[in-house]
Amino acid sequence: MHIKRKSHNLDAHLLRRAQRVLGAATETDTIHQALHAVLVGEQLIAALESVSGQVEFRPEFLKRMRSQRGRRR
């Protein structure tokens, strides 16, 4: 993995909330996991669109996704 040192102005409250939700140990970990989640979400939506031509989130799917939130590390 190529690491690039950057300096950004971030909303501290938003960062803390994301860190808690993701269960990340550090702020850097939080940002990496959040960026990864965006890419996974994009792939998921693309896959759903290619299957049905539209995106439909059924209640069972949302419930399963919510139950998995704290388990990824």
Short mmCIF file of all heavy atoms in Angstrom, two decimals:
data_model
loop_
_atom_site.label_atom_id
_atom_site.label_comp_id
_atom_site.label_asym_id
_atom_site.label_seq_id
_atom_site.Cartn_x
_atom_site.Cartn_y
_atom_site.Cartn_z
N MET A 1 0.85 -1.18 0.00
CA MET A 1 0.00 0.00 0.00
C MET A 1 0.90 1.24 0.00
O MET A 1 1.84 1.34 0.77
CB MET A 1 -0.90 -0.02 1.25
CG MET A 1 -1.64 1.26 1.44
SD MET A 1 -2.88 1.37 2.77
CE MET A 1 -2.33 0.35 4.05
N HIS A 2 0.60 2.16 -0.87
CA HIS A 2 1.32 3.42 -0.93
C HIS A 2 0.66 4.40 0.03
O HIS A 2 -0.54 4.63 -0.04
CB HIS A 2 1.29 3.98 -2.35
CG HIS A 2 1.90 5.34 -2.47
ND1 HIS A 2 3.26 5.53 -2.43
CD2 HIS A 2 1.34 6.56 -2.60
CE1 HIS A 2 3.50 6.83 -2.54
NE2 HIS A 2 2.35 7.47 -2.65
N ILE A 3 1.43 4.96 0.95
CA ILE A 3 0.91 5.91 1.95
C ILE A 3 1.31 7.31 1.53
O ILE A 3 2.47 7.57 1.22
CB ILE A 3 1.45 5.60 3.36
CG1 ILE A 3 1.10 4.19 3.78
CG2 ILE A 3 0.96 6.62 4.36
CD1 ILE A 3 -0.37 3.94 3.96
N LYS A 4 0.37 8.20 1.55
CA LYS A 4 0.62 9.60 1.21
C LYS A 4 0.25 10.46 2.41
O LYS A 4 -0.86 10.39 2.91
CB LYS A 4 -0.22 10.00 -0.01
CG LYS A 4 0.12 11.34 -0.56
CD LYS A 4 -0.59 11.57 -1.88
CE LYS A 4 -0.07 12.82 -2.51
NZ LYS A 4 -0.58 13.02 -3.85
N ARG A 5 1.18 11.23 2.89
CA ARG A 5 0.93 12.09 4.04
C ARG A 5 0.21 13.34 3.57
O ARG A 5 0.65 14.02 2.67
CB ARG A 5 2.24 12.48 4.71
CG ARG A 5 2.04 13.14 6.05
CD ARG A 5 3.35 13.37 6.73
NE ARG A 5 3.74 12.74 7.94
CZ ARG A 5 3.03 12.15 8.86
NH1 ARG A 5 1.76 12.00 8.70
NH2 ARG A 5 3.54 11.66 9.95
N LYS A 6 -0.96 13.62 4.19
CA LYS A 6 -1.78 14.77 3.82
C LYS A 6 -2.24 15.48 5.08
O LYS A 6 -2.25 14.92 6.16
CB LYS A 6 -3.03 14.33 3.04
CG LYS A 6 -2.77 13.56 1.77
CD LYS A 6 -2.11 14.37 0.71
CE LYS A 6 -3.11 15.26 0.05
NZ LYS A 6 -2.61 16.09 -1.00
N SER A 7 -2.64 16.70 4.90
CA SER A 7 -3.21 17.47 6.00
C SER A 7 -4.58 17.98 5.52
O SER A 7 -4.68 18.61 4.47
CB SER A 7 -2.31 18.66 6.33
OG SER A 7 -2.91 19.45 7.32
N HIS A 8 -5.63 17.65 6.29
CA HIS A 8 -6.99 18.03 5.91
C HIS A 8 -7.71 18.63 7.10
O HIS A 8 -7.43 18.28 8.25
CB HIS A 8 -7.79 16.82 5.41
CG HIS A 8 -7.24 16.21 4.17
ND1 HIS A 8 -7.41 16.75 2.94
CD2 HIS A 8 -6.49 15.10 3.99
CE1 HIS A 8 -6.81 16.01 2.03
NE2 HIS A 8 -6.24 14.99 2.65
N ASN A 9 -8.65 19.49 6.82
CA ASN A 9 -9.53 20.03 7.86
C ASN A 9 -10.76 19.14 7.90
O ASN A 9 -11.51 19.06 6.95
CB ASN A 9 -9.93 21.47 7.52
CG ASN A 9 -8.73 22.38 7.45
OD1 ASN A 9 -7.83 22.29 8.28
ND2 ASN A 9 -8.69 23.24 6.45
N LEU A 10 -10.93 18.43 9.03
CA LEU A 10 -12.03 17.49 9.17
C LEU A 10 -12.95 17.90 10.31
O LEU A 10 -12.49 18.46 11.31
CB LEU A 10 -11.50 16.08 9.46
CG LEU A 10 -10.56 15.50 8.40
CD1 LEU A 10 -9.96 14.19 8.90
CD2 LEU A 10 -11.31 15.28 7.11
N ASP A 11 -14.21 17.59 10.17
CA ASP A 11 -15.19 17.81 11.23
C ASP A 11 -14.88 16.80 12.34
O ASP A 11 -15.06 15.59 12.16
CB ASP A 11 -16.59 17.60 10.66
CG ASP A 11 -17.70 17.79 11.66
OD1 ASP A 11 -17.52 17.45 12.85
OD2 ASP A 11 -18.77 18.26 11.26
N ALA A 12 -14.41 17.26 13.49
CA ALA A 12 -13.99 16.38 14.58
C ALA A 12 -15.13 15.50 15.09
O ALA A 12 -14.94 14.33 15.38
CB ALA A 12 -13.40 17.20 15.72
N HIS A 13 -16.33 16.09 15.19
CA HIS A 13 -17.48 15.32 15.67
C HIS A 13 -17.83 14.20 14.68
O HIS A 13 -18.08 13.06 15.08
CB HIS A 13 -18.68 16.26 15.87
CG HIS A 13 -19.92 15.57 16.33
ND1 HIS A 13 -20.02 15.00 17.58
CD2 HIS A 13 -21.10 15.33 15.71
CE1 HIS A 13 -21.22 14.45 17.70
NE2 HIS A 13 -21.89 14.64 16.58
N LEU A 14 -17.81 14.51 13.41
CA LEU A 14 -18.10 13.51 12.37
C LEU A 14 -17.05 12.40 12.39
O LEU A 14 -17.38 11.21 12.28
CB LEU A 14 -18.15 14.20 11.01
CG LEU A 14 -18.57 13.37 9.81
CD1 LEU A 14 -19.98 12.83 9.99
CD2 LEU A 14 -18.49 14.21 8.55
N LEU A 15 -15.80 12.78 12.54
CA LEU A 15 -14.72 11.80 12.59
C LEU A 15 -14.87 10.88 13.80
O LEU A 15 -14.74 9.66 13.69
CB LEU A 15 -13.37 12.52 12.63
CG LEU A 15 -12.12 11.64 12.60
CD1 LEU A 15 -12.09 10.77 11.34
CD2 LEU A 15 -10.88 12.50 12.69
N ARG A 16 -15.20 11.43 14.97
CA ARG A 16 -15.40 10.61 16.18
C ARG A 16 -16.58 9.65 16.00
O ARG A 16 -16.50 8.49 16.39
CB ARG A 16 -15.63 11.49 17.40
CG ARG A 16 -14.35 12.05 18.00
CD ARG A 16 -14.58 12.65 19.38
NE ARG A 16 -15.69 13.59 19.46
CZ ARG A 16 -15.63 14.89 19.15
NH1 ARG A 16 -14.49 15.41 18.73
NH2 ARG A 16 -16.70 15.65 19.24
N ARG A 17 -17.67 10.16 15.42
CA ARG A 17 -18.85 9.30 15.19
C ARG A 17 -18.50 8.15 14.26
O ARG A 17 -18.86 7.00 14.51
CB ARG A 17 -20.00 10.11 14.62
CG ARG A 17 -20.67 11.00 15.64
CD ARG A 17 -21.81 11.79 15.04
NE ARG A 17 -22.81 10.92 14.44
CZ ARG A 17 -23.66 11.30 13.50
NH1 ARG A 17 -23.64 12.53 13.04
NH2 ARG A 17 -24.54 10.46 13.01
N ALA A 18 -17.81 8.46 13.16
CA ALA A 18 -17.41 7.43 12.20
C ALA A 18 -16.47 6.42 12.87
O ALA A 18 -16.60 5.21 12.66
CB ALA A 18 -16.74 8.05 10.98
N GLN A 19 -15.56 6.90 13.68
CA GLN A 19 -14.61 6.03 14.37
C GLN A 19 -15.35 5.06 15.30
O GLN A 19 -15.06 3.87 15.34
CB GLN A 19 -13.61 6.86 15.17
CG GLN A 19 -12.47 6.05 15.75
CD GLN A 19 -11.36 6.92 16.31
OE1 GLN A 19 -11.47 8.15 16.35
NE2 GLN A 19 -10.29 6.31 16.73
N ARG A 20 -16.33 5.57 16.00
CA ARG A 20 -17.13 4.73 16.90
C ARG A 20 -17.92 3.68 16.10
O ARG A 20 -17.94 2.51 16.45
CB ARG A 20 -18.06 5.61 17.73
CG ARG A 20 -18.75 4.93 18.87
CD ARG A 20 -19.54 5.88 19.74
NE ARG A 20 -19.95 7.08 19.04
CZ ARG A 20 -19.66 8.35 19.41
NH1 ARG A 20 -19.01 8.59 20.47
NH2 ARG A 20 -20.06 9.38 18.70
N VAL A 21 -18.58 4.11 15.03
CA VAL A 21 -19.39 3.20 14.22
C VAL A 21 -18.52 2.12 13.59
O VAL A 21 -18.89 0.94 13.57
CB VAL A 21 -20.16 3.97 13.11
CG1 VAL A 21 -20.74 3.04 12.08
CG2 VAL A 21 -21.25 4.83 13.73
N LEU A 22 -17.36 2.49 13.09
CA LEU A 22 -16.47 1.55 12.42
C LEU A 22 -15.65 0.71 13.40
O LEU A 22 -15.09 -0.32 13.01
CB LEU A 22 -15.53 2.30 11.47
CG LEU A 22 -16.19 2.96 10.27
CD1 LEU A 22 -15.23 3.92 9.60
CD2 LEU A 22 -16.71 1.92 9.30
N GLY A 23 -15.56 1.16 14.64
CA GLY A 23 -14.74 0.44 15.62
C GLY A 23 -13.27 0.58 15.32
O GLY A 23 -12.47 -0.30 15.65
N ALA A 24 -12.89 1.68 14.69
CA ALA A 24 -11.50 1.90 14.29
C ALA A 24 -10.67 2.37 15.48
O ALA A 24 -11.14 3.10 16.34
CB ALA A 24 -11.44 2.93 13.17
N ALA A 25 -9.41 1.93 15.51
CA ALA A 25 -8.52 2.27 16.62
C ALA A 25 -7.98 3.70 16.51
O ALA A 25 -7.76 4.36 17.52
CB ALA A 25 -7.37 1.28 16.67
N THR A 26 -7.75 4.15 15.30
CA THR A 26 -7.14 5.47 15.11
C THR A 26 -7.94 6.29 14.10
O THR A 26 -8.78 5.75 13.37
CB THR A 26 -5.70 5.34 14.56
OG1 THR A 26 -5.76 4.78 13.25
CG2 THR A 26 -4.83 4.47 15.47
N GLU A 27 -7.64 7.57 14.03
CA GLU A 27 -8.29 8.42 13.04
C GLU A 27 -7.91 8.00 11.63
O GLU A 27 -8.75 7.98 10.73
CB GLU A 27 -7.94 9.89 13.30
CG GLU A 27 -8.57 10.43 14.57
CD GLU A 27 -8.19 11.87 14.86
OE1 GLU A 27 -7.33 12.44 14.16
OE2 GLU A 27 -8.78 12.43 15.81
N THR A 28 -6.66 7.64 11.44
CA THR A 28 -6.20 7.19 10.13
C THR A 28 -6.95 5.92 9.72
O THR A 28 -7.41 5.79 8.58
CB THR A 28 -4.68 6.93 10.13
OG1 THR A 28 -4.02 8.17 10.43
CG2 THR A 28 -4.19 6.40 8.79
N ASP A 29 -7.07 4.99 10.66
CA ASP A 29 -7.84 3.77 10.41
C ASP A 29 -9.28 4.10 10.03
O ASP A 29 -9.86 3.48 9.15
CB ASP A 29 -7.85 2.90 11.66
CG ASP A 29 -7.24 1.54 11.45
OD1 ASP A 29 -6.72 1.29 10.35
OD2 ASP A 29 -7.30 0.75 12.41
N THR A 30 -9.85 5.07 10.72
CA THR A 30 -11.23 5.49 10.45
C THR A 30 -11.37 5.97 9.02
O THR A 30 -12.30 5.57 8.30
CB THR A 30 -11.65 6.61 11.41
OG1 THR A 30 -11.51 6.14 12.75
CG2 THR A 30 -13.08 7.06 11.16
N ILE A 31 -10.47 6.81 8.59
CA ILE A 31 -10.53 7.36 7.23
C ILE A 31 -10.33 6.25 6.20
O ILE A 31 -11.07 6.18 5.21
CB ILE A 31 -9.50 8.50 7.07
CG1 ILE A 31 -9.91 9.68 7.97
CG2 ILE A 31 -9.38 8.92 5.60
CD1 ILE A 31 -8.82 10.71 8.15
N HIS A 32 -9.38 5.35 6.44
CA HIS A 32 -9.16 4.24 5.50
C HIS A 32 -10.39 3.36 5.40
O HIS A 32 -10.81 2.99 4.29
CB HIS A 32 -7.97 3.40 5.93
CG HIS A 32 -6.65 4.06 5.69
ND1 HIS A 32 -5.46 3.51 6.09
CD2 HIS A 32 -6.33 5.22 5.10
CE1 HIS A 32 -4.46 4.30 5.75
NE2 HIS A 32 -4.97 5.36 5.15
N GLN A 33 -10.99 3.01 6.55
CA GLN A 33 -12.18 2.16 6.53
C GLN A 33 -13.36 2.86 5.86
O GLN A 33 -14.14 2.23 5.13
CB GLN A 33 -12.56 1.74 7.95
CG GLN A 33 -11.62 0.71 8.53
CD GLN A 33 -12.10 0.22 9.88
OE1 GLN A 33 -13.29 0.03 10.09
NE2 GLN A 33 -11.17 0.01 10.80
N ALA A 34 -13.50 4.16 6.11
CA ALA A 34 -14.60 4.91 5.49
C ALA A 34 -14.44 4.97 3.98
O ALA A 34 -15.41 4.79 3.23
CB ALA A 34 -14.67 6.32 6.09
N LEU A 35 -13.22 5.20 3.51
CA LEU A 35 -12.97 5.22 2.06
C LEU A 35 -13.24 3.84 1.46
O LEU A 35 -13.85 3.73 0.39
CB LEU A 35 -11.53 5.65 1.78
CG LEU A 35 -11.20 7.11 2.08
CD1 LEU A 35 -9.70 7.35 1.97
CD2 LEU A 35 -11.97 8.05 1.18
N HIS A 36 -12.82 2.80 2.15
CA HIS A 36 -13.09 1.44 1.67
C HIS A 36 -14.60 1.19 1.61
O HIS A 36 -15.10 0.61 0.65
CB HIS A 36 -12.42 0.42 2.59
CG HIS A 36 -12.64 -0.99 2.19
ND1 HIS A 36 -12.06 -1.56 1.08
CD2 HIS A 36 -13.41 -1.95 2.73
CE1 HIS A 36 -12.46 -2.80 0.96
NE2 HIS A 36 -13.29 -3.07 1.95
N ALA A 37 -15.34 1.65 2.61
CA ALA A 37 -16.79 1.45 2.64
C ALA A 37 -17.47 2.14 1.46
O ALA A 37 -18.42 1.61 0.89
CB ALA A 37 -17.37 1.96 3.96
N VAL A 38 -16.98 3.30 1.09
CA VAL A 38 -17.54 4.01 -0.07
C VAL A 38 -17.35 3.18 -1.34
O VAL A 38 -18.27 3.04 -2.15
CB VAL A 38 -16.89 5.41 -0.23
CG1 VAL A 38 -17.22 6.02 -1.58
CG2 VAL A 38 -17.31 6.32 0.90
N LEU A 39 -16.17 2.61 -1.50
CA LEU A 39 -15.89 1.80 -2.69
C LEU A 39 -16.71 0.52 -2.71
O LEU A 39 -17.23 0.12 -3.76
CB LEU A 39 -14.40 1.48 -2.77
CG LEU A 39 -13.48 2.71 -2.91
CD1 LEU A 39 -12.02 2.29 -2.87
CD2 LEU A 39 -13.80 3.50 -4.16
N VAL A 40 -16.87 -0.11 -1.56
CA VAL A 40 -17.70 -1.32 -1.46
C VAL A 40 -19.15 -0.96 -1.79
O VAL A 40 -19.82 -1.68 -2.53
CB VAL A 40 -17.59 -1.96 -0.07
CG1 VAL A 40 -18.66 -3.02 0.13
CG2 VAL A 40 -16.20 -2.54 0.13
N GLY A 41 -19.63 0.16 -1.26
CA GLY A 41 -21.00 0.60 -1.55
C GLY A 41 -21.21 0.85 -3.03
O GLY A 41 -22.24 0.46 -3.59
N GLU A 42 -20.22 1.45 -3.66
CA GLU A 42 -20.33 1.72 -5.09
C GLU A 42 -20.39 0.41 -5.88
O GLU A 42 -21.19 0.25 -6.79
CB GLU A 42 -19.14 2.56 -5.56
CG GLU A 42 -19.26 2.98 -7.01
CD GLU A 42 -17.97 2.85 -7.79
OE1 GLU A 42 -16.99 2.31 -7.26
OE2 GLU A 42 -17.98 3.26 -8.94
N GLN A 43 -19.58 -0.56 -5.50
CA GLN A 43 -19.59 -1.86 -6.17
C GLN A 43 -20.92 -2.58 -5.94
O GLN A 43 -21.45 -3.21 -6.86
CB GLN A 43 -18.45 -2.74 -5.65
CG GLN A 43 -17.08 -2.26 -6.09
CD GLN A 43 -15.97 -3.05 -5.43
OE1 GLN A 43 -16.16 -3.72 -4.43
NE2 GLN A 43 -14.78 -2.94 -5.99
N LEU A 44 -21.45 -2.48 -4.75
CA LEU A 44 -22.72 -3.12 -4.43
C LEU A 44 -23.85 -2.52 -5.26
O LEU A 44 -24.65 -3.25 -5.86
CB LEU A 44 -23.03 -2.96 -2.94
CG LEU A 44 -24.36 -3.50 -2.45
CD1 LEU A 44 -24.44 -5.00 -2.68
CD2 LEU A 44 -24.54 -3.17 -0.99
N ILE A 45 -23.90 -1.21 -5.34
CA ILE A 45 -24.94 -0.55 -6.14
C ILE A 45 -24.80 -0.92 -7.61
O ILE A 45 -25.78 -1.22 -8.28
CB ILE A 45 -24.91 0.98 -5.93
CG1 ILE A 45 -25.42 1.30 -4.51
CG2 ILE A 45 -25.74 1.70 -6.98
CD1 ILE A 45 -25.22 2.73 -4.09
N ALA A 46 -23.57 -0.94 -8.12
CA ALA A 46 -23.36 -1.31 -9.53
C ALA A 46 -23.83 -2.75 -9.78
O ALA A 46 -24.45 -3.04 -10.79
CB ALA A 46 -21.89 -1.16 -9.89
N ALA A 47 -23.55 -3.65 -8.83
CA ALA A 47 -23.97 -5.04 -8.99
C ALA A 47 -25.48 -5.15 -8.97
O ALA A 47 -26.07 -5.89 -9.77
CB ALA A 47 -23.36 -5.90 -7.89
N LEU A 48 -26.13 -4.43 -8.07
CA LEU A 48 -27.59 -4.47 -8.00
C LEU A 48 -28.21 -3.89 -9.26
O LEU A 48 -29.20 -4.43 -9.76
CB LEU A 48 -28.08 -3.70 -6.77
CG LEU A 48 -27.79 -4.34 -5.41
CD1 LEU A 48 -28.12 -3.37 -4.29
CD2 LEU A 48 -28.57 -5.63 -5.26
N GLU A 49 -27.65 -2.82 -9.78
CA GLU A 49 -28.19 -2.22 -11.00
C GLU A 49 -28.01 -3.16 -12.19
O GLU A 49 -28.89 -3.25 -13.04
CB GLU A 49 -27.50 -0.89 -11.28
CG GLU A 49 -27.95 0.22 -10.36
CD GLU A 49 -27.17 1.50 -10.57
OE1 GLU A 49 -26.01 1.46 -11.01
OE2 GLU A 49 -27.73 2.57 -10.24
N SER A 50 -26.89 -3.87 -12.25
CA SER A 50 -26.67 -4.75 -13.39
C SER A 50 -27.61 -5.95 -13.37
O SER A 50 -27.93 -6.50 -14.40
CB SER A 50 -25.22 -5.23 -13.43
OG SER A 50 -24.95 -6.12 -12.38
N VAL A 51 -28.07 -6.34 -12.19
CA VAL A 51 -28.98 -7.47 -12.07
C VAL A 51 -30.41 -7.06 -12.39
O VAL A 51 -31.12 -7.73 -13.13
CB VAL A 51 -28.91 -8.08 -10.65
CG1 VAL A 51 -30.03 -9.09 -10.43
CG2 VAL A 51 -27.56 -8.72 -10.43
N SER A 52 -30.85 -5.93 -11.83
CA SER A 52 -32.27 -5.59 -11.95
C SER A 52 -32.55 -4.34 -12.78
O SER A 52 -33.70 -4.06 -13.07
CB SER A 52 -32.85 -5.38 -10.55
OG SER A 52 -32.28 -4.22 -9.97
N GLY A 53 -31.52 -3.61 -13.13
CA GLY A 53 -31.73 -2.36 -13.85
C GLY A 53 -32.11 -1.21 -12.93
O GLY A 53 -32.21 -0.07 -13.36
N GLN A 54 -32.34 -1.51 -11.68
CA GLN A 54 -32.63 -0.47 -10.69
C GLN A 54 -32.11 -0.95 -9.33
O GLN A 54 -31.84 -2.11 -9.14
CB GLN A 54 -34.12 -0.20 -10.61
CG GLN A 54 -34.94 -1.39 -10.16
CD GLN A 54 -36.42 -1.08 -10.15
OE1 GLN A 54 -36.82 0.04 -10.42
NE2 GLN A 54 -37.23 -2.05 -9.83
N VAL A 55 -31.99 -0.03 -8.41
CA VAL A 55 -31.52 -0.37 -7.08
C VAL A 55 -32.71 -0.44 -6.15
O VAL A 55 -33.50 0.49 -6.06
CB VAL A 55 -30.50 0.67 -6.55
CG1 VAL A 55 -30.08 0.35 -5.13
CG2 VAL A 55 -29.30 0.72 -7.47
N GLU A 56 -32.85 -1.57 -5.49
CA GLU A 56 -33.94 -1.75 -4.54
C GLU A 56 -33.37 -2.37 -3.27
O GLU A 56 -32.78 -3.44 -3.31
CB GLU A 56 -35.00 -2.67 -5.12
CG GLU A 56 -36.18 -2.86 -4.20
CD GLU A 56 -37.23 -3.77 -4.80
OE1 GLU A 56 -37.33 -3.81 -6.04
OE2 GLU A 56 -37.92 -4.43 -4.04
N PHE A 57 -33.52 -1.69 -2.14
CA PHE A 57 -33.05 -2.20 -0.87
C PHE A 57 -34.23 -2.72 -0.08
O PHE A 57 -35.06 -1.96 0.39
CB PHE A 57 -32.31 -1.12 -0.08
CG PHE A 57 -31.03 -0.71 -0.74
CD1 PHE A 57 -30.95 0.48 -1.44
CD2 PHE A 57 -29.92 -1.52 -0.69
CE1 PHE A 57 -29.78 0.86 -2.08
CE2 PHE A 57 -28.73 -1.14 -1.31
CZ PHE A 57 -28.67 0.04 -2.02
N ARG A 58 -34.33 -4.01 0.03
CA ARG A 58 -35.43 -4.64 0.77
C ARG A 58 -35.14 -4.57 2.26
O ARG A 58 -33.99 -4.56 2.68
CB ARG A 58 -35.58 -6.08 0.33
CG ARG A 58 -35.98 -6.16 -1.12
CD ARG A 58 -36.44 -7.56 -1.47
NE ARG A 58 -36.98 -7.55 -2.80
CZ ARG A 58 -36.42 -8.15 -3.84
NH1 ARG A 58 -35.32 -8.83 -3.70
NH2 ARG A 58 -36.98 -8.08 -5.03
N PRO A 59 -36.19 -4.56 3.11
CA PRO A 59 -36.00 -4.48 4.57
C PRO A 59 -35.08 -5.56 5.13
O PRO A 59 -34.27 -5.28 6.01
CB PRO A 59 -37.42 -4.62 5.11
CG PRO A 59 -38.31 -4.15 4.00
CD PRO A 59 -37.60 -4.54 2.74
N GLU A 60 -35.15 -6.78 4.60
CA GLU A 60 -34.29 -7.86 5.09
C GLU A 60 -32.82 -7.56 4.82
O GLU A 60 -31.95 -7.83 5.64
CB GLU A 60 -34.63 -9.21 4.43
CG GLU A 60 -36.09 -9.60 4.45
CD GLU A 60 -36.86 -9.02 3.27
OE1 GLU A 60 -36.45 -9.14 2.10
OE2 GLU A 60 -37.91 -8.44 3.55
N PHE A 61 -32.55 -7.00 3.64
CA PHE A 61 -31.18 -6.65 3.27
C PHE A 61 -30.65 -5.57 4.20
O PHE A 61 -29.53 -5.67 4.71
CB PHE A 61 -31.14 -6.18 1.81
CG PHE A 61 -29.79 -5.66 1.40
CD1 PHE A 61 -28.77 -6.53 1.08
CD2 PHE A 61 -29.57 -4.31 1.33
CE1 PHE A 61 -27.53 -6.06 0.71
CE2 PHE A 61 -28.33 -3.82 0.95
CZ PHE A 61 -27.31 -4.69 0.65
N LEU A 62 -31.44 -4.53 4.42
CA LEU A 62 -31.00 -3.45 5.30
C LEU A 62 -30.75 -3.95 6.72
O LEU A 62 -29.77 -3.57 7.35
CB LEU A 62 -32.04 -2.32 5.32
CG LEU A 62 -32.19 -1.57 4.00
CD1 LEU A 62 -33.36 -0.60 4.08
CD2 LEU A 62 -30.91 -0.86 3.64
N LYS A 63 -31.61 -4.82 7.21
CA LYS A 63 -31.45 -5.38 8.56
C LYS A 63 -30.15 -6.17 8.66
O LYS A 63 -29.39 -6.03 9.62
CB LYS A 63 -32.65 -6.27 8.89
CG LYS A 63 -32.63 -6.81 10.28
CD LYS A 63 -33.87 -7.64 10.56
CE LYS A 63 -33.86 -8.21 11.96
NZ LYS A 63 -35.05 -9.02 12.24
N ARG A 64 -29.86 -6.98 7.64
CA ARG A 64 -28.63 -7.77 7.64
C ARG A 64 -27.40 -6.87 7.58
O ARG A 64 -26.42 -7.10 8.29
CB ARG A 64 -28.64 -8.73 6.45
CG ARG A 64 -27.50 -9.73 6.49
CD ARG A 64 -27.71 -10.90 5.55
NE ARG A 64 -28.55 -10.62 4.41
CZ ARG A 64 -28.09 -10.50 3.16
NH1 ARG A 64 -26.81 -10.65 2.89
NH2 ARG A 64 -28.91 -10.26 2.17
N MET A 65 -27.44 -5.83 6.75
CA MET A 65 -26.31 -4.92 6.64
C MET A 65 -26.07 -4.19 7.97
O MET A 65 -24.94 -4.03 8.39
CB MET A 65 -26.53 -3.90 5.51
CG MET A 65 -26.50 -4.52 4.12
SD MET A 65 -24.95 -5.35 3.74
CE MET A 65 -23.87 -3.95 3.60
N ARG A 66 -27.14 -3.77 8.63
CA ARG A 66 -26.99 -3.09 9.91
C ARG A 66 -26.40 -4.02 10.97
O ARG A 66 -25.62 -3.58 11.80
CB ARG A 66 -28.34 -2.54 10.35
CG ARG A 66 -28.77 -1.34 9.55
CD ARG A 66 -30.09 -0.77 10.06
NE ARG A 66 -30.48 0.35 9.24
CZ ARG A 66 -31.62 0.44 8.58
NH1 ARG A 66 -32.53 -0.52 8.66
NH2 ARG A 66 -31.89 1.50 7.84
N SER A 67 -26.77 -5.28 10.93
CA SER A 67 -26.25 -6.22 11.93
C SER A 67 -24.76 -6.49 11.72
O SER A 67 -24.08 -6.88 12.65
CB SER A 67 -27.04 -7.53 11.89
OG SER A 67 -26.70 -8.28 10.74
N GLN A 68 -24.26 -6.26 10.52
CA GLN A 68 -22.84 -6.50 10.21
C GLN A 68 -21.95 -5.31 10.51
O GLN A 68 -20.73 -5.43 10.49
CB GLN A 68 -22.70 -6.88 8.74
CG GLN A 68 -23.37 -8.16 8.35
CD GLN A 68 -22.75 -9.36 9.03
OE1 GLN A 68 -21.55 -9.47 9.12
NE2 GLN A 68 -23.59 -10.24 9.53
N ARG A 69 -22.53 -4.14 10.78
CA ARG A 69 -21.74 -2.91 10.93
C ARG A 69 -20.58 -3.03 11.88
O ARG A 69 -19.48 -2.66 11.54
CB ARG A 69 -22.63 -1.76 11.39
CG ARG A 69 -23.23 -1.01 10.26
CD ARG A 69 -23.69 0.31 10.73
NE ARG A 69 -24.93 0.17 11.48
CZ ARG A 69 -25.83 1.10 11.61
NH1 ARG A 69 -25.64 2.26 11.07
NH2 ARG A 69 -26.93 0.90 12.29
N GLY A 70 -20.77 -3.49 13.08
CA GLY A 70 -19.71 -3.52 14.07
C GLY A 70 -18.77 -4.70 13.97
O GLY A 70 -17.80 -4.79 14.68
N ARG A 71 -19.01 -5.63 13.05
CA ARG A 71 -18.23 -6.86 12.96
C ARG A 71 -17.03 -6.77 12.05
O ARG A 71 -16.15 -7.61 12.10
CB ARG A 71 -19.12 -8.00 12.49
CG ARG A 71 -20.23 -8.29 13.47
CD ARG A 71 -21.06 -9.43 13.01
NE ARG A 71 -22.23 -9.55 13.87
CZ ARG A 71 -23.25 -10.31 13.64
NH1 ARG A 71 -23.27 -11.04 12.56
NH2 ARG A 71 -24.27 -10.35 14.46
N ARG A 72 -16.97 -5.78 11.15
CA ARG A 72 -15.89 -5.67 10.18
C ARG A 72 -14.68 -5.02 10.81
O ARG A 72 -14.77 -4.01 11.45
CB ARG A 72 -16.32 -4.85 8.97
CG ARG A 72 -17.20 -5.62 8.07
CD ARG A 72 -17.58 -4.78 6.90
NE ARG A 72 -19.02 -4.63 7.01
CZ ARG A 72 -19.67 -3.50 6.84
NH1 ARG A 72 -19.03 -2.43 6.53
NH2 ARG A 72 -20.96 -3.44 6.97
N ARG A 73 -13.52 -5.65 10.60
CA ARG A 73 -12.26 -5.07 11.10
C ARG A 73 -11.12 -5.47 10.23
O ARG A 73 -11.00 -6.46 9.71
CB ARG A 73 -11.99 -5.49 12.51
CG ARG A 73 -13.10 -5.00 13.37
CD ARG A 73 -12.71 -4.69 14.71
NE ARG A 73 -14.02 -4.39 15.30
CZ ARG A 73 -14.19 -3.77 16.37
NH1 ARG A 73 -13.21 -3.35 17.04
NH2 ARG A 73 -15.35 -3.53 16.84
#
